[in-house]
Structure formats: structure tokens, C-alpha cells
Amino acid sequence: MRRGGRPMPEQLEGAPKLNYVSLSKAMSKALRHQPERLGIRLAPDGSVGLDELMNALNRRGGWPRALTEADIMQVVEHGSKQRFAVEDGRIRARYGHSIALDEAYVPAEPPAVLYHGTSQRFLDSILDEGLLPMDRQVVHLSTDVETAWAVGRRHGGKTVILTVDAERAAREGIQFYCGNDSTWLADRVPARYLTLGQETATQE
Ligand code: HQG
């Protein structure tokens, strides 16, 4: 889903076309999963110098032309989701990490209600053991049903939406973190805070 106000990245005139989706995927891989494959080291908050990331991606190669910091900023500012944050010349992934980082996520008070979109085939297990981070460090939740549908659909099969009583979960000690405008994170969410909803939760 493309967020309002985030137009497609513009290509530099006259230069070979760079695939910004490929660049975004390479950035996610480096900043969420395998920084060592690019020869970079992330700080405890998950950040690395913008120039360091750019140089490492250029060393890796495979681009139609040399990447510039402006290319990386195009993905940060105009990518289809707010996946990355840049501050003081450093870039980090806002969510999605599989690697453990001590300070990647800052605890925050969540909205009263959050949603989780997933595939129906995971439902029995989720209602049994709760939402678990699985291959990532935290569970990913959505602020609105539309976003949750989009997240759930990625997994194929029938999409189901779970409603999370985040207010009660937070009150009772579950830790939440803010990812971006539409994404919240949690360590794990026991099944007692989940309801299958809305009323027909198994529409395609
Ligand atoms: C499921 C994308 C069985 C869970 C998205 C999910 C998101 C369980 C899957 C972000 C379970 C993990 C994350 C349990 C959870 N038993 N299955 N107890 N607990 N699951 O991809 O939330 O485009 O790691 O329901 O938009 O789908 O990459 O998590 O289906 O924001 O920026 O295990 O990734 O963002 O799948 O997606 P994922 P997710 P990007």
C-alpha cells in the first residue's frame, strides 16, 4: 500500500535507471538482518552512518550506477512504507529486525487498540500460544485494519485480523514500542489480549 504524500522516487535525469525497490530491499537486509554480509557494524540502536551504508552498498555492487546518499534518502523519504529513519547522518531500520540489538526499540504507550493481520493457517497456533516474534525480535502490530490486511495478505491463504487490547496488555506489563505511523511493536502478546475480529474475520 502506498501512503498518501509519498510519491514514487524520482530518477536522476539522463542517468541509468536505479531500481529503488531493489535498493530498499538491500537496505532492509543490511539494517535488519545481515549487516555483516556488507561488512558493516550497527550501533546498539541499530544505526550506521549513512555514508558507511552507501559505501558498503557500492562495494557490493550490482547497481546500474554508483549510489549516492540522495538515492538512499529517496528510499527513506519516498519508499512505500516508513521503513527507515535518518538522524544526525545515521540511518536505522524502524522495525523488522531479526538481529538482536540492545536499544533498537524505545518503550512507548500504545494506542488503546491495535490489529494484527495474518494468515488463517497460523490462527490455531496464535490463539494457543499468543503472538510471538517468530524470526524477528518483536511482534508487529498495525494501527488500522487496512494496514493489518496488507500485512496479513503477504502470507497467502485467507487473511484474518486479530484485534489486540493493547491498553489492557500495556497496563498489565506487556512492553510496546512505536515503529512508524502505522506500525507498533511488542515483545509478545499472550492470547488473552487477542480477539478474532472483525465479525467476519476470514474474508479474502
Ligand atoms: C505469525 C512487513 C504461528 C504472524 C510487514 C506472522 C510488517 C505465529 C508470522 C512486518 C505466531 C511472522 C512484519 C504463533 C505470530 N504461531 N504463527 N504463535 N505468532 N505468528 O513477516 O507481522 O514490508 O515476521 O502472525 O508490513 O507479518 O518488511 O511478521 O504472520 O510491518 O517493511 O508469524 O514486515 O514490513 O511473519 O510482518 P513476519 P508480520 P516490511
Side-chain angles (χ1 to χ4, degrees):
M1 183 183 58
R2 190 157 293 283
R3 300 171 65 253
R6 290 172 74 84
M8 282 295 282
E10 285 168 24
Q11 297 287 342
L12 295 177
E13 201 150 336
K17 278 209 185 340
L18 181 65
N19 183 332
Y20 283 103
V21 173
S22 298
L23 175 56
S24 180
K25 287 184 176 172
M27 289 163 58
S28 285
K29 191 171 172 187
L31 297 173
R32 293 174 174 179
H33 307 302
Q34 294 183 314
E36 72 285 351
R37 288 280 292 271
L38 272 192
I40 59 172
R41 185 189 290 266
L42 306 184
D45 69 351
S47 71
V48 66
L50 204 51
D51 54 345
E52 208 183 321
L53 178 65
M54 180 194 72
N55 290 335
L57 289 168
N58 275 326
R59 267 199 313 274
R60 190 208 72 170
W63 312 106
R65 59 172 169 77
L67 302 175
T68 64
E69 287 194 10
D71 291 321
I72 293 177
M73 289 310 297
Q74 286 277 21
V75 172
V76 174
E77 292 174 357
H78 304 293
S80 60
K81 298 179 186 173
Q82 295 172 309
R83 292 187 172 94
F84 310 99
V86 172
E87 206 177 336
D88 296 334
R90 298 183 67 79
I91 183 167
R92 63 180 175 84
R94 289 174 176 267
Y95 59 87
H97 301 89
S98 59
I99 50 172
L101 293 157
D102 289 342
E103 300 164 19
Y105 304 125
V106 180
E109 190 179 330
V113 175
L114 288 165
Y115 303 92
H116 180 82
T118 189
S119 170
Q120 189 175 40
R121 71 182 182 281
F122 301 144
L123 203 52
D124 285 351
S125 170
I126 291 172
L127 293 176
D128 185 33
E129 52 191 11
L131 285 171
L132 303 177
M134 309 306 279
D135 292 339
R136 306 189 195 258
Q137 292 294 315
V138 286
V139 168
H140 288 63
L141 304 168
S142 305
T143 54
D144 59 280
V145 174
E146 191 191 3
T147 303
W149 275 111
V151 173
R153 285 166 69 97
R154 295 162 39 257
H155 295 287
K158 281 195 169 178
T159 300
V160 294
I161 304 287
L162 292 158
T163 299
V164 180
D165 186 347
E167 187 174 26
R168 185 161 74 93
R171 199 178 341 115
E172 295 179 358
I174 305 298
Q175 196 70 74
F176 288 83
Y177 318 88
C178 184
N180 64 21
D181 290 351
S182 56
T183 308
W184 278 74
L185 314 164
D187 286 336
R188 61 180 291 263
V189 183
R192 63 181 173 280
Y193 302 114
L194 307 175
T195 48
L196 189 54
Q198 314 83 15
E199 53 279 11
T200 54
T202 52
Q203 75 192 77
E204 291 283 357

